[in-house]
């Protein structure tokens, strides 16, 4: 197994830290996913991971308020992203 170091490893560690404390909920296709934060100040909130194309992780909102898990179940994640 090759030893990884340098900028590639630093970027990988940084990307992992962006989602530390969150769990994967749903694959939205095209590399997008929905995450549920389970620890930290944003615990209980849902986020859209769009790093596949736009390098952003955005909170899911409904009427300008963080979406609840129950509200999220009744909707598509793409409809709750404030693009």
């Amino acid at each position: 197994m090759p030893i990884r170091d340098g900028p590639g490893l630093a970027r990988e560690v940084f990307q992992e830290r962006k989602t530390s404390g969150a769990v994967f909920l749903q694959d939205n296709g095209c590399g997008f996913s929905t995450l549920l934060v389970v620890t930290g100040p944003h615990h209980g909130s849902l986020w859209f991971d769009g790093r596949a194309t736009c390098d952003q992780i955005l909170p899911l909102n409904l009427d300008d308020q963080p979406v609840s898990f129950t509200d999220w179940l009744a909707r598509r994640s793409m409809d709750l992203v404030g693009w």
Side-chain angles (χ1 to χ4, degrees):
M1 179 175 202
I3 297 173
R4 297 178 304 156
D5 61 1
L9 179 60
R11 177 166 168 70
E12 187 175 318
V13 169
F14 178 68
Q15 291 298 324
E16 287 179 19
R17 287 183 181 164
K18 283 184 177 180
T19 57
S20 178
V23 294
F24 170 88
L25 288 183
Q26 180 181 41
D27 181 340
N28 296 306
C30 298
F32 300 132
S33 59
T34 301
L35 307 172
L36 170 64
V37 179
V38 295
T39 63
H42 298 288
H43 73 279
S45 61
L46 291 108
W47 293 71
F48 180 81
D49 186 347
R51 292 177 292 168
T53 60
C54 63
D55 201 33
Q56 294 185 24
I57 300 175
L58 304 167
L60 299 183
N61 292 301
L62 182 62
D63 300 324
D64 294 322
Q65 297 294 317
V67 68
S68 71
F69 184 77
T70 304
D71 287 335
W72 171 76
L73 285 173
R75 292 168 175 80
R76 295 176 345 115
S77 293
M78 294 294 283
D79 294 336
L80 300 166
V81 177
W83 293 104

